[in-house]
Amino acid sequence: METKQKLSARRVLGMAVGIVIIGLGIALFKQSHLGNDSISALNMRLAELLGVSLGLVNLCVNVLFFLLEIAFGRKYIGLGTFINGIFMGYIITAFYDPIAALCGPAGSFAGQLVWMALAVPVTALGVALYQTADLGIAPYDYLSLGLRDHTPFPYFGCRVFTDALCALLCWLLGGLVGLGTLVCAFCLGPFVQFFSRTVAEKVLKEKG
């Protein structure tokens, strides 16, 4: 995905709503206590170790990734790059804190699975809206695209590498890497495609 689409109110709104929904989905994954997507899990663990907010860690990490994006992949930068990179961590926390306070920890493995089952379609819908809006690549997502552009390896292999590396770092730091992490890595794709076709493309399609 390259940021070639015109900046329109419809696409900006779709991008913004998509980011908010992604934040909700990640919060639901966190509530399941079965693991998050690899970069969110790593950021959550870094926040715990450093004693700072997830929003601050997410922002700092994205700044580092953005330096690579601006150096090697400027064609992927758009409004969505900045909105995602700056606000995602704070959005996750804004959803997770009240959910955790209201519902408490899941009392059983079945309960954890329910939270994860909710998280999958919610996250996928958000990703579908964000990607279809086509207004910029998130700093972390650029890593796999950049590797694809500057190495002989295909995108899938580059994505697996970046996700696996973040998951490994999270695990080495004592963070939670579990079923939810695997689901994010290997099962979200079909749901994203479904919501892209049935929702995002229809909602964000420009008339005329």
Side-chain angles (χ1 to χ4, degrees):
M1 181 177 73
E2 296 182 12
T3 57
K4 295 181 178 179
Q5 296 289 345
K6 65 179 181 180
L7 194 67
S8 68
R10 184 189 298 267
R11 290 185 175 276
V12 171
L13 181 61
M15 174 269 295
V17 171
I19 288 174
V20 171
I21 295 175
I22 292 170
L24 173 59
I26 295 174
L28 293 173
F29 269 113
K30 185 177 181 181
Q31 175 66 12
S32 77
H33 297 284
L34 290 175
N36 281 83
D37 64 282
S38 56
I39 185 59
S40 295
L42 176 58
N43 286 340
M44 289 173 190
R45 184 53 180 162
L46 289 173
E48 292 171 355
L49 291 174
L50 296 173
V52 298
S53 70
L54 173 61
L56 179 59
V57 169
N58 191 78
L59 175 60
C60 292
V61 170
N62 276 323
V63 167
L64 295 177
F65 293 153
F66 179 69
L67 293 177
L68 293 174
E69 189 171 4
I70 199 171
F72 302 106
R74 293 186 181 183
K75 63 183 179 180
Y76 296 114
I77 296 174
L79 179 62
T81 306
F82 298 99
I83 302 299
N84 187 307
I86 294 171
F87 295 108
M88 181 60 75
Y90 297 103
I91 295 170
I92 295 168
T93 301
F95 280 119
Y96 175 74
D97 285 352
I99 290 173
L102 180 64
C103 301
S108 65
F109 181 63
Q112 291 176 295
L113 290 177
V114 169
W115 283 111
M116 189 177 70
L118 290 172
V120 169
V122 170
T123 306
L125 174 60
V127 172
L129 288 168
Y130 180 73
Q131 290 184 346
T132 303
D134 199 9
L135 292 177
I137 300 295
Y140 172 72
D141 293 331
Y142 165 71
L143 294 183
S144 50
L145 288 169
L147 284 173
R148 181 202 65 185
D149 291 346
H150 298 284
T151 70
F153 300 106
Y155 172 78
F156 178 76
C158 294
R159 183 73 194 205
V160 170
F161 172 76
T162 56
D163 286 348
L165 179 60
C166 288
L168 176 61
L169 290 173
C170 178
W171 179 76
L172 291 174
L173 291 171
L176 176 59
V177 176
L179 179 60
T181 311
L182 295 176
V183 168
C184 287
F186 298 106
C187 300
L188 277 181
F191 287 91
V192 173
Q193 290 181 346
F194 171 77
F195 284 118
S196 294
R197 184 178 66 254
T198 60
V199 179
E201 291 177 1
K202 293 180 179 180
V203 170
L204 298 179
K205 183 178 180 181
E206 299 288 348
K207 295 181 180 180

